[in-house]
Amino acid sequence: MAPEEDAGTQLLLQSFQRRFLAARALRSFPWQSLEAKLRDSSDPELLRDILQKTVKHPVCVKHPPSVKYVRCFLSELIKKHEAVHTEPLDELYEALAETLMAKESTQGHRSYLLPSGGSVTLSESTAIISHGTTGLVTWDAALYLAEWAIENPAAFTDRTVLELGSGAGLTGLAICKMCHPRAYIFSDCHSRVLKQLRGNVLLNGLSLEADITPNLDSPRVTVAQLDWDVTTVCQLSVFQPDVVIAADVLYCPEAIMSLVGVLRRLAACQGAPGGS
């Protein structure tokens, strides 16, 4: 294989891996590029490599996406394989058979690979709206803010960070792992979201402030219940954040006014945030 072809194949594999582990929409995958490569060669090795980097990846085996997602992905992969009229690849059909026998769950995992070689893994609801909230799934804005934070770690290094509306926790976990904050406060108002948040913090090897054996190499982490409409200046003053962040929280006009209110109260606290 020519060097440029090998580089193109590696980029294709990386694209499939990152999208699959993060359970991104199947339409976002580079299917056309895959079809072109499959038509250029009848060698099934590329499909085996995709299987190893997705369904059989160690992170996926330990923390799998939803059964439905894996099933749809494998079905699409088989369609692309069959379209080039090559011999059936047993590994693909065996993997699909496993998902057909697997039990459906209301929870699945998304794993985001970090530049450090590590990852952020989240347990999430398989439904966009669940238990009366949209906070049990990760939205694109959290991913974009996490990417920005990783590219700008100095904004968070050795600082106390308060995140408003943390949801599943992607942004905060990425910052905790990559930007070395002194302390990080995840916050939300929904009890189910807070329970899932605590679970995701522990899932990623971080200790909550109340733990008796905290990880001294990690930031001090807190998960706080914070209702923007009723929290007081006195309650907010406990956090003493240097930086306040939020992603995808302005989903209705009422939320805008609530956010403005809590930001005003934060500014009124002693030791008001030095950045936003």
Side-chain angles (χ1 to χ4, degrees), residues 56 74 89-99 101:
K56 297 183 181 298
L74 287 170
L89 185 60
D90 290 344
E91 291 97 318
L92 281 176
Y93 296 95
E94 289 168 0
L96 180 60
E98 289 179 11
T99 68
M101 293 185 291

Side-chain angles (χ1 to χ4, degrees), residues 183-200:
Y184 198 96
I185 302 117
F186 296 86
S187 74
D188 215 290
C189 65
H190 197 284
S191 60
R192 191 76 181 215
V193 174
L194 292 167
K195 180 180 179 181
Q196 181 176 270
L197 255 176
R198 293 187 185 98
N200 283 335

Side-chain angles (χ1 to χ4, degrees), residues 8 19 37 61 120 122 137 151 184 200 213 230 240 247 269 276:
R19 284 171 168 78
K37 284 193 174 293
V61 172
V120 169
L122 305 173
V137 297
E151 293 171 357
Y184 198 96
N200 283 335
T213 56
V230 300
Q240 296 186 336
C269 296
S276 61

